[in-house]
Amino acid sequence: MPTMIKDSVSHGDPLVNLPGYLVRRASVSILSGLNSRLRALDLRHIECTILQLIRANPGIRQSDIGRLLDIKRANVVPLVATLEKRRLIRRRAIDGRSQGLHLTHSGDALAVRAFSIVQTYENSLIDGMPGDLRAAVIPVLTWLWNSAEQSDADKPTAKRATR
Amino acid sequence: MPTMIKDSVSHGDPLVNLPGYLVRRASVSILSGLNSRLRALDLRHIECTILQLIRANPGIRQSDIGRLLDIKRANVVPLVATLEKRRLIRRRAIDGRSQGLHLTHSGDALAVRAFSIVQTYENSLIDGMPGDLRAAVIPVLTWLWNSAEQSDADKPTAKRATR
DNA sequence: TATTGTTATACTCTATAACTATA
DNA sequence: TATAGTTATAGAGTATAACAATA
């Protein structure tokens, strides 16, 4: 009976050198920190993202948001409904079936405050990072994202990409 | 992902230059692709990770797994139970309250096959990436992860880190 | 026919709280 | 008292399927 007690085994994570694994671990931590900070505005990260999206694209439709963020449009419904209930956004009919989304005054103000929080947080993530590494951050992440999207698009059968 | 509305509005994502946002988007895509591939072995990414962890650390306890992966030990219970039911792992008592986890023969074989899939996938993510960028992948991701963990630890009240 | 918005439902991952039995 | 394993429950986030109204 190979007794294993705390210090008899060095419990290490054998995956810490895999990019995809690191991305996932980083993502969870980063998201957690962001949500903590956005809680001051009673916003979740996804709600904040939608506000920024509408701010940058006044008149955007729910279905556009779903496509841009890779969220099924069925899941956008409750998000937009919540923001509308809080009078942060409002809908204007585009035609009989489409509704353009717009920020209200208070919605715009909140979006600005939220984006400020986001930027401060984002900056904190790369604060102190050596310049050569910092220059690689966006290119590396964009590359990884695109690679995953592409390789996923290749997949024929399996339960296809999600979000 | 350029979505267009009647050419009147160019719907763009205003966040695509933010590291944290990119990490999240990349993470979702990468995870989706990995889960697609692991489905051939009837494994989810988290189950695969646990197999690798046990393989690298025979005798590891559930609570250790939780700490290493930042998963609450309550959530490790059903994962380990499933793997045990499939005879991929087994438990050996360490003492009256602790159980060391070990791979069975079939569990080890499956872990090896799974890791092969993981490595192939991970390689595909950085395939074709320019050398200077590739060299930055692990350092950048590790930095971002550490930054988030740290800034999260600073946070006093809010709903603390998760996974 | 395809798209938009919607409802309903289910599954994964994670959190919290509480219990037990041990150390 | 603290730890290990467990149960129960809740809340995000996402998926699928189906529907009505409209383009």
Side-chain angles (χ1 to χ4, degrees):
Chain A
M1 181 122 343
T3 303
M4 291 301 166
I5 304 172
K6 253 189 178 173
D7 303 290
S8 64
V9 180
S10 81
H11 290 156
D13 188 333
L15 307 175
V16 292
N17 285 318
L18 301 178
Y21 180 76
L22 285 174
V23 166
R24 180 170 66 82
R25 295 299 302 265
S27 173
V28 173
S29 290
I30 290 172
L31 207 50
S32 169
L34 180 58
N35 277 326
S36 291
R37 284 158 180 77
L38 288 176
R39 206 164 290 125
L41 302 186
D42 195 20
L43 283 178
R44 290 175 297 160
H45 74 94
I46 184 65
E47 295 172 326
C48 172
T49 298
I50 290 178
L51 288 182
Q52 307 309 324
L53 220 46
I54 297 175
R55 186 157 199 267
N57 305 281
I60 194 174
R61 292 164 303 182
Q62 285 189 191
S63 50
D64 294 318
I65 292 177
R67 275 185 289 269
L68 271 169
L69 301 182
D70 266 314
I71 300 176
K72 301 295 175 190
R73 68 186 191 285
N75 297 322
V76 180
V77 174
L79 297 171
V80 165
T82 297
L83 296 175
E84 191 188 24
K85 232 169 271 172
R86 290 177 61 182
R87 308 281 180 170
L88 298 173
I89 68 177
R90 68 171 175 282
R91 311 172 194 241
R92 289 183 197 156
I94 292 177
D95 58 31
R97 66 180 177 188
S98 295
Q99 307 160 358
L101 301 179
H102 303 261
L103 294 182
T104 61
H105 284 306
S106 64
D108 189 75
L110 193 64
V112 170
R113 293 180 60 196
F115 193 61
S116 165
I117 289 178
V118 169
Q119 280 202 304
T120 299
Y121 184 56
E122 293 278 358
N123 285 337
S124 79
L125 294 178
I126 57 174
D127 187 52
M129 189 185 285
D132 55 328
L133 274 192
R134 191 185 298 218
V137 171
I138 303 300
V140 160
L141 294 175
T142 303
W143 181 286
L144 292 175
W145 182 13
N146 287 338
S147 294
E149 294 273 295
Q150 182 186 319
S151 74
D152 202 62
D154 289 342
K155 296 243 42 155
T157 37
K159 202 170 168 189
R160 271 316 313 289
T162 67
R163 209 216 157 185
Chain B
M1 203 164 285
T3 300
M4 289 299 153
I5 255 199
K6 303 196 166 184
D7 308 310
S8 61
V9 182
S10 83
H11 290 153
D13 188 334
L15 307 175
V16 291
N17 285 318
L18 301 179
Y21 179 77
L22 285 174
V23 166
R24 180 169 66 81
R25 296 299 303 265
S27 173
V28 173
S29 291
I30 290 172
L31 207 50
S32 169
L34 180 59
N35 278 326
S36 291
R37 285 159 180 76
L38 288 176
R39 206 164 291 124
L41 303 186
D42 194 21
L43 283 178
R44 291 175 296 161
H45 74 93
I46 185 65
E47 296 172 326
C48 172
T49 298
I50 290 178
L51 288 182
Q52 306 310 323
L53 220 47
I54 298 176
R55 186 156 199 269
N57 306 280
I60 194 175
R61 291 164 303 182
Q62 285 189 191
S63 51
D64 294 319
I65 292 176
R67 275 186 288 270
L68 271 169
L69 301 181
D70 266 313
I71 300 175
K72 300 296 175 187
R73 69 187 191 285
N75 296 322
V76 180
V77 173
L79 297 172
V80 164
T82 297
L83 295 176
E84 190 188 22
K85 233 169 270 171
R86 290 177 62 183
R87 308 281 181 169
L88 299 173
I89 66 176
R90 67 169 177 283
R91 311 172 194 241
R92 290 182 195 157
I94 292 177
D95 58 31
R97 67 180 178 189
S98 295
Q99 307 160 356
L101 301 179
H102 302 262
L103 295 182
T104 62
H105 284 305
S106 64
D108 189 75
L110 192 65
V112 169
R113 291 179 61 195
F115 192 61
S116 166
I117 289 178
V118 169
Q119 279 202 305
T120 299
Y121 184 57
E122 293 278 357
N123 286 337
S124 78
L125 294 178
I126 58 174
D127 187 51
M129 188 185 286
D132 55 327
L133 275 192
R134 190 185 297 219
V137 172
I138 303 299
V140 160
L141 294 175
T142 303
W143 180 286
L144 292 175
W145 181 13
N146 288 338
S147 294
E149 293 274 293
Q150 182 185 320
S151 74
D152 202 62
D154 288 342
K155 298 242 43 156
T157 37
K159 203 170 166 187
R160 273 316 314 289
T162 69
R163 191 171 202 226

